[in-house]
């Protein structure tokens, strides 16, 4: 993140003891290391690939961790191994690949805070109505009212694992939406399937969830802070 973005956001993270950003990066190695760091998928099965997992505390300006692992260990698996690093009053901003219900439950149980995008597989229901979010109707309503964002409290998960959190949805430019649809259609075509209307409508938004309250982080603050991870 740029120095300007950090300075603009700094006062927003005052309530938190730390603001930890986590992500990963894969890179190829000489093929002779394949036995220890095998490749896969788009990298080619005959390649050697290493995964760099890292977490940085934006508030304190210091590394929390830097690890080199096999690329075949996905981000969700690594996320499970790092649950012990979550502490009270910390704000954790993670890439979508790290997010599981177990992770969110751990954040809440430790009285910490999360900020991340909504998993595309999750079907949130509005807490005040009990109905699933209608992305197509929401987009049309926001266009008519010229709203910049939408915010509500939703329930994700089900049964004992269900939890409530804030959801903030921001519409994306038409160009971004078109590119999202193009990439998704290519992927679905290779799988012999098609995009649903719900998925297309959902692609109109960047969707964030958090367990912070509006008094701590306003919708605009949530968007600004998540950009620091980008």
């Amino acid at each position: 993140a740029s120095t300007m973005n950090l300075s603009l956001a700094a006062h927003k993270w005052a309530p938190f003891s730390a603001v930890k950003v986590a992500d990963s990066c894969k890179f190829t190695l000489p093929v002779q290391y394949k036995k220890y760091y095998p490749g896969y998928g788009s990298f080619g099965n005959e390649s050697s690939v290493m995964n760099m997992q890292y977490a940085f505390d934006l508030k304190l300006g210091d590394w929390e961790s830097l690890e080199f692992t096999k690329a075949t260990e996905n981000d969700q698996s690594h996320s499970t191994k790092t649950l012990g690093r979550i502490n009270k009053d910390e704000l954790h901003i993670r890439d979508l690949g790290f997010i599981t219900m177990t992770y969110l439950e751990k954040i809440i149980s430790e009285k910490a805070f999360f900020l991340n995008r909504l998993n595309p597989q999750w079907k949130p229901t509005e807490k005040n109505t009990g109905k699933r979010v209608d992305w197509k109707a929401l987009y049309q309503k926001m266009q008519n009212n010229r709203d910049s964002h939408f915010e509500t409290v939703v329930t994700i998960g089900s049964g004992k694992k269900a939890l409530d959190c804030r959801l903030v949805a921001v519409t994306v430019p038409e160009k971004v939406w078109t590119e999202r649809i193009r990439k998704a259609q290519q992927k679905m075509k290779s799988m012999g399937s098609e995009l649903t209307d719900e998925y297309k409508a959902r692609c109109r938004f960047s969707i964030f969830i958090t367990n912070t309250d509006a008094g701590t982080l306003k919708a605009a603050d949530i968007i600004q802070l998540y950009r620091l991870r980008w």
Side-chain angles (χ1 to χ4, degrees):
S2 68
T3 302
M4 180 178 293
N5 284 340
L6 288 173
S7 61
L8 287 172
H11 70 288
K12 304 296 183 185
W13 59 47
F16 309 109
S17 61
V19 180
K20 296 181 178 180
V21 177
D23 212 333
S24 65
C25 179
K26 297 175 177 60
F27 56 94
T28 57
L29 296 173
V31 70
Q32 57 262 41
Y33 295 104
K34 178 187 172 185
K35 177 180 177 181
Y36 306 101
Y37 297 98
Y40 69 97
S42 58
F43 285 93
N45 292 328
E46 295 306 314
S47 64
S48 177
V49 183
M50 180 177 280
N51 194 18
M52 180 171 67
Q53 296 280 0
Y54 50 93
F56 190 84
D57 186 341
L58 292 170
K59 183 171 183 177
L60 300 181
D62 198 7
W63 290 100
E64 181 205 30
S65 64
L66 181 63
E67 303 172 56
F68 295 92
T69 67
K70 292 181 179 179
T72 49
E73 178 188 3
N74 63 31
D75 292 340
Q76 286 195 2
S77 296
H78 188 267
S79 178
T80 301
K81 294 180 179 180
T82 61
L83 295 180
R85 300 174 185 171
I86 297 170
N87 302 299
K88 183 181 178 181
D89 293 331
E90 294 177 342
L91 174 64
H92 289 258
I93 306 175
R94 293 194 176 187
D95 182 46
L96 190 56
F98 292 88
I99 307 305
T100 64
M101 289 299 294
T102 300
Y103 162 74
L104 298 183
E105 290 166 359
K106 180 65 173 178
I107 288 277
I108 293 172
S109 68
E110 293 296 333
K111 297 183 179 180
F113 302 94
F114 62 80
L115 168 55
N116 47 262
R117 290 185 293 156
L118 177 69
N119 189 313
Q121 303 302 318
W122 294 347
K123 310 295 183 182
T125 58
E126 292 194 64
K127 187 170 178 59
N128 61 343
T129 65
K131 296 181 179 179
R132 279 173 52 176
V133 178
D134 185 333
W135 302 108
K136 184 176 181 180
L138 176 60
Y139 179 74
Q140 192 59 57
K141 180 180 178 181
M142 291 178 67
Q143 289 295 100
N144 293 340
N145 296 338
R146 297 184 179 182
D147 294 328
S148 61
H149 69 275
F150 166 79
E151 179 175 349
T152 189
V153 176
V154 297
T155 301
I156 56 177
S158 59
K160 294 182 179 180
K161 288 186 173 293
L163 60 87
D164 297 335
C165 60
R166 292 168 64 201
L167 178 147
V168 175
V170 184
T171 55
V172 300
E174 190 74 14
K175 184 177 180 180
V176 174
W177 177 75
T178 301
E179 182 62 13
R180 285 180 176 181
I181 296 299
R182 184 189 68 80
K183 290 182 177 179
Q185 284 178 330
Q186 283 185 339
K187 182 177 181 179
M188 294 300 286
K189 185 177 180 180
S190 68
M191 299 168 62
S193 187
E194 296 182 358
L195 298 178
T196 64
D197 290 338
E198 180 187 17
Y199 183 88
K200 292 178 182 178
R202 185 166 172 153
C203 284
R204 291 281 187 185
F205 302 92
S206 289
I207 308 166
F208 308 94
I209 56 173
T210 181
N211 63 330
T212 61
D213 59 60
T216 302
L217 289 180
K218 298 178 181 178
D221 301 331
I222 288 171
I223 298 165
Q224 185 181 51
L225 283 173
Y226 193 82
R227 283 175 177 163
L228 297 180
R229 195 207 65 80
W230 282 331

